[in-house]
Amino acid sequence: MNDIRPQKGPAASSGRPLREGPAAGSPAVDRALMLLETLAEGDGLTLSELGRRLGLAPSTVHRLLAALAARRLAEADPATQLWGVGPGAFRLGAAFLRRGGLADRARPVLARLAEASGETAVLAVADGDAALVVAEMPGASSLRAVLPPGTRLPYHATAPGKALIAHLPLAQVRALLGRAPLPALTPRTLTDQGELTADLATLRHGGWLAERSESATGQNGIAAPVFGGAGDPVAALGVTGPAARLDDAALAALGPQLAEAAATLGAALGGPARHLPPAARGR
């Protein structure tokens, strides 16, 4: 691909002079979008590797990356200098999902989960530095968790939040969480990133992940990711309730059902018909 640069001299038909730089017109916009797509497909790429893949000069790639980074659409890992998608891309994806009727499609699934579990079922999407609840179905009990749409859930301390980041490349997880110790919301919150990484691996193995008094004392939860058309997690289905009812036995019994519901919703969104790991099938 040629590095197309705006020509100097002639004025635009509107009488305004053509401006140089990434905002010059559709070729620059197209290059920026192709760069963003390449970042999304990779698991951390150097500037020179991006230039080779796109057929662009390193100076052009650097200028485009700077523009994307200013909008938090791209980020470089300070330790490795590898570039990846930034948290701003999650905010754009969340806006699309909210506009695209994801919550409407999920309501029948949420209703079945709430009825089967007796607890509050929620749907959450990634929204910048937190998971955002976009739909809620209350359980039948008068004593229940309340997570209305608009509630923001920390990625590291809630089951829906962890379900959204469990399948992401490590560089993207670090971009979302940072490198400092994670804030403790309760005595059981996982604040060590190594411990959190190990916890996220349980979802990749079993298809679902639990939360035990990590965001609120006496409240447990469980969640599974919903995979969209590109095979990436676009949302999380979760069930939350009092720890006295949603104990380890209840979580273990509900996990496969939740993973199956998430796979069904993902298929309705154009994702894979099934995205269940072997451990979650046939239970």
Side-chain angles (χ1 to χ4, degrees), residues 187-268:
R188 300 197 64 175
T189 304
L190 298 179
T191 58
D192 180 80
Q193 297 227 17
E195 292 181 356
L196 177 63
T197 299
D199 192 36
L200 297 180
T202 65
L203 184 145
R204 296 191 294 272
H205 172 73
W208 52 273
L209 181 147
E211 156 203 352
R212 297 174 176 85
S213 293
E214 295 166 44
S215 61
T217 300
Q219 178 176 294
N220 287 356
I222 186 171
V226 177
F227 294 90
D232 297 323
V234 297
L237 276 177
V239 171
T240 303
R245 292 198 305 262
L246 209 54
D247 56 14
D248 285 347
L251 292 172
L254 188 58
Q257 181 181 348
L258 189 64
E260 183 74 19
T264 299
L265 179 58

Side-chain angles (χ1 to χ4, degrees), residues 66-259:
L68 293 175
R71 300 288 182 181
R72 301 195 72 195
L73 295 173
E75 281 193 344
D77 187 311
T80 64
Q81 294 302 303
L82 297 178
W83 284 87
V85 173
F90 288 90
R91 185 175 297 276
L92 295 178
F96 169 77
L97 292 172
R98 292 195 296 273
R99 181 189 61 80
L102 174 61
D104 291 337
R105 294 193 180 202
R107 283 193 180 93
V109 178
L110 293 172
R112 289 193 293 270
L113 285 172
E115 181 179 6
S117 66
E119 307 296 347
T120 299
V122 299
L123 179 76
V125 300
D127 185 35
D129 59 358
L132 178 71
V133 176
V134 294
E136 177 203 36
M137 189 63 64
S141 175
S142 58
L143 178 61
R144 60 178 184 265
V146 179
L147 296 171
T151 301
R152 294 176 65 80
L153 308 173
Y155 285 125
H156 73 290
T158 61
K162 290 189 281 187
L164 284 168
I165 65 174
H167 285 271
L168 295 180
L170 184 58
Q172 291 188 36
V173 175
R174 287 176 174 171
L176 290 168
L177 300 180
R179 293 180 172 273
L182 301 168
L185 306 181
T186 75
R188 300 197 64 175
T189 304
L190 298 179
T191 58
D192 180 80
Q193 297 227 17
E195 292 181 356
L196 177 63
T197 299
D199 192 36
L200 297 180
T202 65
L203 184 145
R204 296 191 294 272
H205 172 73
W208 52 273
L209 181 147
E211 156 203 352
R212 297 174 176 85
S213 293
E214 295 166 44
S215 61
T217 300
Q219 178 176 294
N220 287 356
I222 186 171
V226 177
F227 294 90
D232 297 323
V234 297
L237 276 177
V239 171
T240 303
R245 292 198 305 262
L246 209 54
D247 56 14
D248 285 347
L251 292 172
L254 188 58
Q257 181 181 348
L258 189 64

